[in-house]
Amino acid sequence: MQINSNINIIGGLPEFNLIKTFLIKTELQEISHVEYSDIRTLKSVNRFKKAITESFISTNENLNHLVLPFIEKQSIEENSYLLFLLFSFNNELFSYLNNQVFFPVYYSGRKIIKKEEVIACLVELQKTEDTLKSWSESTITTTASKYLTLLKKFELLSGVQKKEIVYKNLSSEEFLVFAYFLTIAEENTNKINSDWIKYSFYEQEFFVEKVLNKQFIQYVEIQYNGDSLKINPTINYDQLYEILKSA
């Protein structure tokens, strides 16, 4: 597993809108760091910029073509779910914590997720991951806290002391973008057992029922026989945003 400190860095952003600033507004990147926000030093600007780029720009160009138009044209608040998908795809530790902590709590129907659960997960992972073996107790505690902060910024948790699950109901647009995301993130052509399906916030059975809905027929070609689910986009990834907004 490739592990870095980007959960801590992104979780510590003074303004979440800086994600859009660094990803899209390239003309601002020569401006003095004091123009950005409350970031005090150029060193901090560069640290945030590097973490944002690593976290939200993918090595998979199709994913960039799919998601970046939404980030460019819409507010950060409107894109919280898409940012969650991107960060999950690009950061292995974040994805691991989602799979081991967040989604088990989410799909169990529990309302509260505890920092101690994240800490315990990291401590267990520390036994097998060399990078984590050098992490101090305080680093692990901070990472657990920032992980929950990120889930809150992605609008999947609420609360201050107690972090309560926000049960997500994707809009039709978000669900369609996720279906396109799934064709990129899941290498297997059969999507039926993809670990990524949980990111739709649907159980497998209901995800299949949803993706077969006639409202999506002009955007995706579906082949389903009960054991195999194949999803083929009918629109280029970089054109989906404009087509959705012009519909």
Side-chain angles (χ1 to χ4, degrees), residues 47-65:
R47 184 167 61 95
F48 283 126
K49 179 180 175 182
K50 180 176 182 292
I52 287 169
T53 301
E54 291 176 348
S55 300
F56 300 105
I57 298 290
S58 175
T59 56
N60 188 308
E61 284 301 317
N62 285 332
L63 186 54
N64 296 331
H65 291 321

Side-chain angles (χ1 to χ4, degrees), residues 9 15 17 25 50 53 58 64 94-96 117 125 182 206 220:
I9 296 172
E15 298 173 18
N17 201 56
K25 298 180 180 180
K50 180 176 182 292
T53 301
S58 175
N64 296 331
F94 186 77
S95 177
Y96 180 85
E117 295 175 89
L125 184 62
L182 186 60
F206 295 106
V220 289

Side-chain angles (χ1 to χ4, degrees), residues 15-54:
E15 298 173 18
F16 221 47
N17 201 56
L18 284 172
I19 293 172
K20 183 170 182 175
T21 298
F22 286 128
L23 290 184
I24 303 302
K25 298 180 180 180
T26 54
E27 71 275 8
L28 297 182
Q29 294 183 14
E30 299 302 322
I31 296 177
S32 168
H33 67 274
V34 298
E35 300 293 331
Y36 285 113
S37 68
D38 293 332
I39 302 178
R40 299 299 181 187
T41 67
L42 182 58
K43 182 179 180 181
S44 295
V45 168
N46 290 332
R47 184 167 61 95
F48 283 126
K49 179 180 175 182
K50 180 176 182 292
I52 287 169
T53 301
E54 291 176 348

